[in-house]
Every structure is written in C-alpha cells, then in structure tokens.
Amino acid sequence: RVAARIGQLIGYGMILFGIIYAFQGPGFLISGLWLAFIGFFLLEAARTSRDSAVFEQVIKGAQARNLMNANAPLVPSNISLSEFFDDYLMRTGNQCFIVAEDGRLLGLLTPKELKAVPREHWGAIPVARAMRPFESMKWVDPDTDLNKVIEVMEKDKVSEVPVVSDGRLEGLVRRDDVLR
C-alpha cells in the first residue's frame, strides 16, 4: 500500500509538472504533455496495484464455503434441451447449471454446451447427452482457499465453480459473489 501511495504521488507530480512544463513556451508543449501522459499511466498502475493489494487482504483466509451459494440450480438429467432452455436458462438468467439425479452430481450445463447442439435437435436430446460430465469438470472442495477458486475461474474462463464434497454438490461460487 505504501508503494502504491508513493507511486500515486509521483504520478500526480509528473502530471502537474508536465502541464506546467507544457505552458513554458511553444517548444515545450509536446515534452510537457508527454511527461503528463507518462504520469497518468504511472498513476493508473499505482491505483491498480493498490486495488489488488486491498483485494488480496480482503480475501486472505477465505474459503470456498464462505462464498458459495448453497442453492445452486439443479437440472434433472432426463429433460430435453428445449425444456432446459425454456424452464431454466430463460427463467433464471443463471449461466451454470448442475445436472443431478437422485442427489448424485452428473455434470454441468452452461450455454456453451447448449450452443454446441443445433437448435432443431434440442427437443430430442436430453440434458445428460449435452452436459459436461462430472469427471471433466473443474470443481473445488469447501475448504479450498478463495485465491485457488479465482485461479480456477481465470484459467478455465468460467464464471462459476461447483463446490463438491464426497461427490455431492455443496454449492456454487460465482464470480459475482467474489466481486461483491
């Protein structure tokens, strides 16, 4: 935080000095504006660094169980993709659905998997055939450090990560929950 504050002060100083320098005469305009421009970038880098440090401090020690939503939307494996689209995706606005049967986690269904199937076939194909199987899913257990959860989201470019314990779904950690 101290380094970020010092960086911000230097950035403000460069901006101020650059503006003053630019008004010294016609030959100083470009150099002064260039100096102010560099100061602006330094200021933004310092702000980003400070925000990152604050974020790291806030989530330090937090685990997946602290942020998971225990009311994750469960989808039966035997409904058609068109039923899934109408009854789940369009009504809830969620982007990640857990496919389960008798409390057993089978897989994950997102709009990405839905788009992979031509729309004219949605009525005949069950969710179980289009889902990403549990074995290929990225998931975390409830004790996983929140930094690791964020790494999984970033690496796999997903906005939700299932929290699983002993093969049973405990909940979902959503990117929105982390940001909030």
Side-chain angles (χ1 to χ4, degrees):
R1 286 189 197 184
V2 171
R5 290 280 184 218
I6 292 171
Q8 285 180 310
L9 288 174
I10 292 171
Y12 281 125
M14 288 179 72
I15 292 170
L16 182 63
F17 184 72
I19 291 171
I20 292 170
Y21 193 72
F23 288 108
Q24 296 299 310
F28 298 98
L29 180 66
I30 292 176
S31 297
L33 291 178
W34 184 248
L35 192 59
F37 189 65
I38 292 170
F40 174 75
F41 275 109
L42 181 60
L43 180 64
E44 287 303 308
R47 283 184 185 160
T48 301
S49 177
R50 185 199 66 215
D51 292 347
S52 178
V54 168
F55 182 74
E56 290 283 328
Q57 187 68 30
V58 167
I59 67 169
K60 187 176 183 177
Q63 297 175 326
R65 73 173 71 251
N66 301 123
L67 282 181
M68 73 179 187
N69 179 353
N71 298 323
L74 298 178
V75 176
S77 62
N78 59 349
I79 66 170
S80 70
L81 290 176
S82 59
E83 286 177 276
F84 164 74
F85 180 78
D86 293 336
D87 297 340
Y88 291 88
L89 189 63
M90 293 305 292
R91 290 183 197 248
T92 66
N94 291 334
Q95 296 293 304
C96 183
F97 296 87
I98 304 298
V99 180
E101 191 172 288
D102 299 326
R104 200 169 44 95
L105 185 61
L106 300 177
L108 185 75
L109 190 61
T110 67
K112 180 180 176 183
E113 286 81 27
L114 189 63
K115 287 178 189 175
V117 178
R119 191 173 185 123
E120 60 269 10
H121 299 299
W122 285 4
I125 296 179
V127 165
R129 281 192 35 213
M131 71 179 186
R132 188 177 335 149
F134 175 67
E135 295 78 28
S136 68
M137 287 172 37
K138 297 294 184 188
W139 53 272
V140 296
D141 67 36
D143 297 325
T144 302
D145 185 66
L146 202 50
N147 277 326
K148 178 68 176 161
V149 174
I150 294 168
E151 282 178 30
V152 169
M153 286 180 178
E154 292 299 315
K155 182 180 174 193
D156 296 338
K157 297 183 182 3
V158 294
S159 59
E160 290 134 338
V161 176
V163 180
V164 178
S165 178
D166 296 326
R168 299 190 64 81
L169 178 71
E170 298 288 326
L172 279 177
V173 175
R174 293 186 170 98
R175 185 179 306 272
D176 293 342
D177 297 329
V178 172
L179 293 175
R180 196 173 320 114

